[in-house]
Amino acid sequence: MEIRDRIDKILGSTLAFIMAVMVLNVLWQVFTRFIIGNPSSFTDELARYLMIWVGVLGAAYVSGKKMHVAIDLVPRKLNKKKQIQLKIIVNIVIIVFCLSALVIGGARLVYITYVLEQYSPALQIPLALVYLVIPISGALIIFYKISDILNKQLL
């Protein structure tokens, strides 16, 4: 559990830092647009990419904290043993999805954009860096779900 707590702290701090940068970025955008009268050219794109990172990494963080939205209509009708079995099945389905869609699919997306040398228009950063959050988030969710199963933290 110690490693999970460290990952939680690092991920939480990273999300807070990204949000702070995003707030400063948007304030700069408003300042340059309405006070100076000459809007900054990179702020819109940076805000968009930071929002992607916050959303995707935030999903992993929420998954690890078990604060995600869940429909618990079926589990409530089951006894404790069946609830645990259902949670294990649900976690396995989540692991399979994250592995196939986020880790493998995300890694392929990162690789393709890297090989094609795609860059963002305003910031001129490789789009592979923007998309890198997808496999990272998938790996984090897989880690959290395996940890839940192994440590029997299903309820």
Side-chain angles (χ1 to χ4, degrees), residues 107-147:
R108 289 182 65 187
L109 177 64
V110 170
Y111 175 74
I112 289 168
T113 55
Y114 178 76
V115 168
L116 295 177
E117 297 179 358
Q118 294 180 345
Y119 290 89
S120 65
L123 295 172
Q124 287 300 303
I125 60 171
L127 284 178
L129 289 178
V130 176
Y131 298 141
L132 188 61
V133 72
I134 297 169
I136 290 171
S137 180
L140 286 169
I141 293 171
I142 290 170
F143 167 77
Y144 284 130
K145 295 306 165 190
I146 289 173
S147 172

Side-chain angles (χ1 to χ4, degrees), residues 19 31-32 35 38-39 44 54 69 72 76 78 82 86-89 92 101 122 131 135 142 153-154:
M19 285 296 294
F31 177 77
T32 58
I35 306 299
N38 186 15
D44 182 46
V54 164
V69 177
D72 64 347
R76 283 190 298 170
L78 301 173
K82 294 285 185 185
L86 180 63
K87 292 277 186 169
I88 290 171
I89 292 169
I92 290 170
Y131 298 141
I142 290 170
Q153 295 179 339
L154 298 167

Side-chain angles (χ1 to χ4, degrees), residues 15-25:
L15 287 167
F17 176 75
I18 293 171
M19 285 296 294
V21 171
M22 195 162 59
V23 167
L24 292 173
N25 177 60

Side-chain angles (χ1 to χ4, degrees), residues 6-114:
R6 273 196 254 161
I7 290 174
D8 283 344
K9 283 184 181 181
I10 292 169
L11 192 52
S13 298
T14 302
L15 287 167
F17 176 75
I18 293 171
M19 285 296 294
V21 171
M22 195 162 59
V23 167
L24 292 173
N25 177 60
V26 171
L27 286 173
W28 178 252
Q29 183 179 32
V30 169
F31 177 77
T32 58
R33 177 169 292 162
F34 295 111
I35 306 299
I36 296 176
N38 186 15
S40 181
S41 61
F42 72 90
T43 52
D44 182 46
E45 190 172 282
L46 180 59
R48 188 177 320 122
Y49 295 152
L50 291 173
M51 183 65 84
I52 291 168
W53 273 71
V54 164
V56 178
L57 279 179
Y61 183 74
V62 168
S63 176
K65 291 290 189 180
K66 293 189 215 135
M67 297 185 323
H68 49 73
V69 177
I71 300 172
D72 64 347
L73 185 66
V74 173
R76 283 190 298 170
K77 295 185 185 282
L78 301 173
N79 62 34
K80 288 285 185 203
K81 184 177 179 183
K82 294 285 185 185
Q83 284 181 6
I84 291 173
Q85 290 172 346
L86 180 63
K87 292 277 186 169
I88 290 171
I89 292 169
V90 167
N91 281 347
I92 290 170
V93 169
I94 291 170
I95 290 168
V96 169
F97 172 78
C98 287
L99 181 64
S100 62
L102 298 179
V103 175
I104 295 171
R108 289 182 65 187
L109 177 64
V110 170
Y111 175 74
I112 289 168
T113 55
Y114 178 76

